[in-house]
Amino acid sequence: MRIAVPKEIKNNENRVALTPAGAKEFVKEGHEVFVQQHAGVGSGFTDEAYEQAGAKILPTIESTYEAGDMVLKVKEPIAPEYGLIKENQLLFTYFHFASNEPLTRAMIQSKAVCLAYETVEKPDRTLPLLVPMSEVAGRMAVQKGANYLEKPLGGRGILLGGVPGTLPAKVLILGGGIVGTQAAWMAAGLGADVIIMDVSLPRMRYLSDVMPKNVKTMMSNEYNIRKLIGSTDLIIGAVLIPGAKAPHLITRDMLREMLPGTVMVDVAVDQGGCIETCQPTTHENPTYTIDGVLHYCVANMPGAVPYTSTLALTNATLPYALALAKNGWQESCLHYPELGSGLNIVKGDVVYQAVAQTFDLPYVPVSYYLNQH
Ligand SMILES: NC(=O)c1ccc[n+]([C@@H]2O[C@H](COP(=O)([O-])OP(=O)(O)OC[C@H]3O[C@@H](n4cnc5c(N)ncnc54)[C@H](O)[C@@H]3O)[C@@H](O)[C@H]2O)c1
C-alpha cells in the first residue's frame, strides 16, 4: 500500500502522524511511504531521518495527498485540504465530525473512507487513541499549575513540594480517570499533598491501592468540594461523562471562598469545563484571572509538547495503521472490532450513528460495508 503523510497545516499544530521509526516498519512490510517535506520538523524529525527509514519526501501537500492509498494525519482536514482528498482514499486521523458540519459534508462529497481516531473504541469502552493525549494533558496540568503558582505569574507564590520546615502545596484533582491519575502521579512526585475526587468507588479503590501516601481519595460532591477549596492551592479539572458536557463542580460563587492566587487548570475544557468560569484559552494567551483566582483552560494542551505527543500518539496508532496497510480497511475492521467503530464516513455514507443524528443525515450501518467484504 502507498502511505501518505502530509504536513499538518492547522494553526499551531506541530505533531506529525508518523515517525521515522514508524515509516521504517511500513517499509519493512513492503509498503511505500511518502512524507511531505518538513512534515516532521515541528516534532523534531528531519526529512533525512525519514529518507534513511526508506520513505520518499514529496515537495508539496498536493503531491503527498495524490501519492497515498492511505493518508495518515493528526488533525481533521481543513478547508484547503478538502479538494485534495480522493474517492476511495482511506483517511486515518482525528476528525471530531459531530462538532464540524462543513467537514462532515466535505468528506461525504469526497467519497473517501474516514476512520476517526477518537471513535476507535474497545469492547471495554476504552478509547485507545485518545488515552495518550489524556496522559500528556494530565502530566502537563501539574507542570503548568506549579508554574502559575509562582507569584510573578499571578499565583499564590507557593512551591508545590515546599522545602523542609514548610508545608507543601495542596492539590485537588476533580476526576480520577486518565488525566487525573497522571496529574496525581506528577503532583505527588513533586511532594504536594494531593486529593483526588471521583464518583466511582471502584476507581477510588484502585487509586488508593496504587498511589503513594501523599495522595488521598475522596467522594466527589458539592459538600466535600466546598470544604476543601478554601485551603487548596491548585485545582485540576479532569472530569469526563462520556458524550455529555462536563458538570460544573466548581461554581462561580465558590471562587470567593478560595485563597487569592489559587490556580485552576481545567483540562476538561474541551467538554465545556468542570469549572463554571472556564473559557477556552490558547497557548498564546493561556490564562485569565477572576476574583483573584487564576484560570488556565487551554483546549489543546498536548500541542505544546509535540515531540512527546507525536511519539505517544504514534505508539498507539501505528499497530492499527500497519494492520490497515496490510489487510485493507474492510478486513482490518472485521479483525479489530475497535477499528470498525472508528469508521465514520464511507464512500459518501455516514456510518456512525451519532454523526448522522447530529446533522440529520441518512445513516448506513457500518455492517453494510463490512459484510460486503
Ligand atoms: N485540554 C486538553 O488538551 C485535553 C487533552 C486530553 C483530554 N482532555 C479532556 O480531559 C477530560 C478527562 O479525560 P480522561 O481521559 O481523564 O477521562 P476519563 O474518562 O479517563 O476520566 C474521567 C473521570 O471523571 C470521573 N467523574 C465523572 N463524574 C465526576 C464527578 N462529578 N466528580 C468527579 N469525578 C467524576 C469519572 O468517574 C472518571 O474517573 C476529558 O474532557 C478530555 O476530553 C483535555
Side-chain angles (χ1 to χ4, degrees), residues 133-134 137 174-180 197-200 203 220 238-241 247 249 267-271 298-302:
M133 295 305 101
S134 286
L174 302 169
I178 309 284
V179 169
M197 283 194 185
D198 205 296
V199 285
S200 159
R203 185 69 192 171
S220 170
V239 162
L240 178 66
I241 300 176
L249 302 182
V267 185
V269 55
D270 59 341
Q271 301 293 328
V298 174
N300 65 330
M301 294 172 68

Coordinates of all heavy atoms in Angstrom, one line a residue, residues 133-134 137 174-180 197-200 203 220 238-241 247 249 267-271 298-302, ligand 1:
M133 N -3.2 11.2 24.6 CA -3.3 12.7 24.7 C -3.8 13.1 26.1 O -3.4 14.1 26.7 CB -4.2 13.3 23.7 CG -3.7 13.1 22.3 SD -2.0 13.8 22.0 CE -1.0 12.3 22.1
S134 N -4.6 12.2 26.7 CA -5.1 12.5 28.1 C -3.9 12.3 29.1 O -3.7 13.1 30.0 CB -6.2 11.5 28.6 OG -7.4 11.9 28.0
A137 N -1.8 15.5 28.7 CA -2.5 16.6 29.3 C -2.5 16.5 30.8 O -2.3 17.5 31.5 CB -3.9 16.8 28.8
L174 N -10.1 16.9 40.4 CA -11.5 16.5 40.2 C -11.6 15.5 39.1 O -11.4 15.9 37.9 CB -12.4 17.7 40.0 CG -12.3 18.8 41.0 CD1 -13.0 20.1 40.6 CD2 -13.0 18.3 42.3
G175 N -11.8 14.3 39.4 CA -11.8 13.2 38.3 C -10.6 12.4 38.4 O -9.5 12.9 38.2
G176 N -10.7 11.1 38.6 CA -9.5 10.2 38.8 C -9.4 9.3 37.6 O -9.0 8.1 37.8
G177 N -9.7 9.7 36.4 CA -9.5 8.9 35.2 C -8.1 9.0 34.7 O -7.2 9.1 35.5
I178 N -7.9 9.0 33.4 CA -6.6 9.0 32.8 C -5.9 10.3 33.2 O -4.8 10.3 33.7 CB -6.6 8.9 31.3 CG1 -7.5 7.7 30.8 CG2 -5.2 8.8 30.7 CD1 -6.8 6.4 31.0
V179 N -6.5 11.5 32.9 CA -5.9 12.8 33.2 C -5.6 12.9 34.7 O -4.5 13.3 35.1 CB -6.9 13.9 32.7 CG1 -6.4 15.3 33.2 CG2 -7.0 13.9 31.2
G180 N -6.6 12.6 35.5 CA -6.5 12.8 36.9 C -5.4 11.9 37.5 O -4.6 12.4 38.4
M197 N -10.7 13.5 43.8 CA -12.1 13.3 44.0 C -12.7 12.6 42.8 O -12.5 13.0 41.6 CB -12.9 14.6 44.2 CG -12.7 15.1 45.6 SD -13.9 16.4 45.9 CE -13.4 17.0 47.5
D198 N -13.5 11.6 43.0 CA -14.2 10.9 41.9 C -15.6 10.4 42.4 O -15.8 10.5 43.6 CB -13.4 9.7 41.3 CG -13.7 9.4 39.9 OD1 -14.8 9.0 39.6 OD2 -12.8 9.5 39.0
V199 N -16.4 10.0 41.5 CA -17.7 9.5 41.9 C -17.8 7.9 41.8 O -18.7 7.3 42.3 CB -18.9 10.0 41.1 CG1 -19.2 11.5 41.5 CG2 -18.6 9.9 39.6
S200 N -16.7 7.4 41.3 CA -16.6 5.9 41.1 C -15.8 5.3 42.3 O -14.6 5.5 42.4 CB -16.0 5.6 39.8 OG -15.5 4.3 39.8
R203 N -13.0 3.0 41.1 CA -11.9 3.7 40.7 C -11.0 4.2 41.8 O -9.8 4.2 41.8 CB -12.3 4.9 39.8 CG -11.2 5.7 39.1 CD -10.5 4.9 38.1 NE -9.3 5.5 37.6 CZ -8.4 5.0 36.8 NH1 -8.6 3.7 36.4 NH2 -7.3 5.6 36.5
S220 N -16.6 12.7 45.3 CA -16.8 14.0 44.7 C -18.3 14.4 45.0 O -19.2 13.7 44.5 CB -16.5 13.9 43.2 OG -17.0 15.1 42.6
A238 N -10.6 17.4 35.8 CA -10.3 16.2 34.9 C -11.4 15.3 34.8 O -11.3 14.0 34.8 CB -9.0 15.5 35.5
V239 N -12.6 15.8 34.8 CA -13.9 15.0 34.9 C -14.3 14.7 33.4 O -14.1 15.5 32.5 CB -15.0 15.8 35.6 CG1 -16.3 15.3 35.3 CG2 -14.7 15.8 37.1
L240 N -14.9 13.5 33.2 CA -15.5 13.2 31.9 C -16.7 12.4 32.1 O -16.7 11.4 32.8 CB -14.5 12.5 31.0 CG -15.1 12.1 29.6 CD1 -15.4 13.3 28.8 CD2 -14.1 11.2 28.9
I241 N -17.8 12.8 31.6 CA -19.0 12.0 31.5 C -19.2 11.8 30.0 O -19.5 12.7 29.2 CB -20.2 12.7 32.1 CG1 -20.0 13.0 33.6 CG2 -21.5 11.8 31.9 CD1 -21.1 13.7 34.2
P247 N -19.9 18.4 34.1 CA -20.7 19.1 35.1 C -19.9 20.2 35.8 O -18.7 20.1 35.9 CB -21.0 18.0 36.1 CG -19.9 17.0 36.0 CD -19.4 17.1 34.5
L249 N -18.5 21.5 38.6 CA -18.3 21.1 40.0 C -17.8 22.3 40.8 O -18.1 22.4 42.0 CB -17.3 20.0 40.1 CG -17.6 18.7 39.3 CD1 -16.6 17.7 39.5 CD2 -19.0 18.2 39.8
V267 N -8.6 20.9 32.6 CA -8.3 20.1 31.4 C -9.5 19.7 30.7 O -9.5 19.5 29.5 CB -7.5 18.9 31.9 CG1 -7.0 18.1 30.6 CG2 -6.3 19.2 32.7
A268 N -10.6 19.6 31.4 CA -11.9 19.2 30.8 C -12.5 20.3 29.9 O -13.7 20.1 29.5 CB -12.9 18.7 31.9
V269 N -11.8 21.3 29.7 CA -12.3 22.5 28.9 C -12.9 22.1 27.6 O -13.9 22.6 27.1 CB -11.2 23.6 28.7 CG1 -10.0 23.0 28.1 CG2 -11.7 24.7 27.9
D270 N -12.3 21.0 27.0 CA -12.8 20.6 25.6 C -14.2 20.0 25.7 O -14.8 19.8 24.7 CB -11.8 19.6 24.9 CG -11.6 18.4 25.8 OD1 -11.8 18.4 27.0 OD2 -11.1 17.4 25.2
Q271 N -14.7 19.7 26.9 CA -16.1 19.2 27.0 C -16.9 20.2 27.8 O -17.8 19.9 28.5 CB -16.1 17.9 27.8 CG -15.3 16.7 27.2 CD -15.9 16.3 25.9 OE1 -17.1 16.3 25.7 NE2 -15.1 15.8 25.0
V298 N -6.5 25.8 28.4 CA -6.1 25.6 27.1 C -6.7 24.3 26.5 O -6.6 23.2 27.2 CB -4.5 25.5 26.9 CG1 -4.1 25.2 25.5 CG2 -3.9 26.9 27.3
A299 N -7.3 24.3 25.4 CA -8.1 23.2 24.9 C -7.3 22.1 24.2 O -7.7 21.0 24.1 CB -9.2 23.7 24.0
N300 N -6.1 22.5 23.8 CA -5.2 21.5 23.1 C -3.8 21.5 23.8 O -2.8 21.8 23.2 CB -5.1 21.8 21.6 CG -4.4 23.1 21.3 OD1 -4.5 24.0 22.1 ND2 -3.6 23.2 20.2
M301 N -3.8 21.1 25.1 CA -2.6 21.2 25.8 C -1.5 20.4 25.2 O -0.3 20.8 25.1 CB -2.9 20.7 27.3 CG -3.8 21.6 28.0 SD -4.3 21.0 29.6 CE -2.7 21.0 30.5
P302 N -1.7 19.1 24.6 CA -0.6 18.3 24.1 C 0.1 19.0 22.9 O 1.2 18.7 22.6 CB -1.3 17.1 23.6 CG -2.6 17.0 24.4 CD -3.0 18.4 24.6
Ligands
LIG1 N1 -7.4 20.2 27.4 C1 -6.8 19.2 26.7 O1 -5.8 19.5 26.0 C2 -7.2 17.8 26.9 C3 -6.4 16.8 26.5 C4 -6.8 15.5 26.7 C5 -8.0 15.2 27.4 N2 -8.8 16.3 27.8 C6 -10.1 16.1 28.5 O2 -9.9 15.8 29.8 C7 -11.1 15.2 30.4 C8 -10.8 14.0 31.2 O3 -10.3 12.9 30.3 P1 -9.9 11.5 30.8 O4 -9.3 10.8 29.6 O5 -9.2 11.6 32.1 O6 -11.3 10.8 31.1 P2 -11.7 9.5 31.9 O7 -13.0 9.0 31.4 O8 -10.5 8.6 31.9 O9 -11.8 10.1 33.4 C9 -12.9 10.9 33.8 C10 -13.2 10.6 35.3 O10 -14.1 11.6 35.7 C11 -14.9 10.9 36.7 N3 -16.1 11.6 37.1 C12 -17.3 11.7 36.4 N4 -18.1 12.5 37.0 C13 -17.5 13.0 38.1 C14 -17.8 14.0 39.1 N5 -19.0 14.5 39.2 N6 -16.8 14.3 40.0 C15 -15.6 13.7 40.0 N7 -15.2 12.8 39.0 C16 -16.2 12.5 38.1 C17 -15.1 9.5 36.2 O11 -15.5 8.6 37.2 C18 -13.7 9.2 35.6 O12 -12.9 8.5 36.5 C19 -11.9 15.0 29.1 O13 -12.9 16.0 29.0 C20 -11.0 15.0 28.0 O14 -11.6 15.3 26.7 C21 -8.4 17.6 27.5

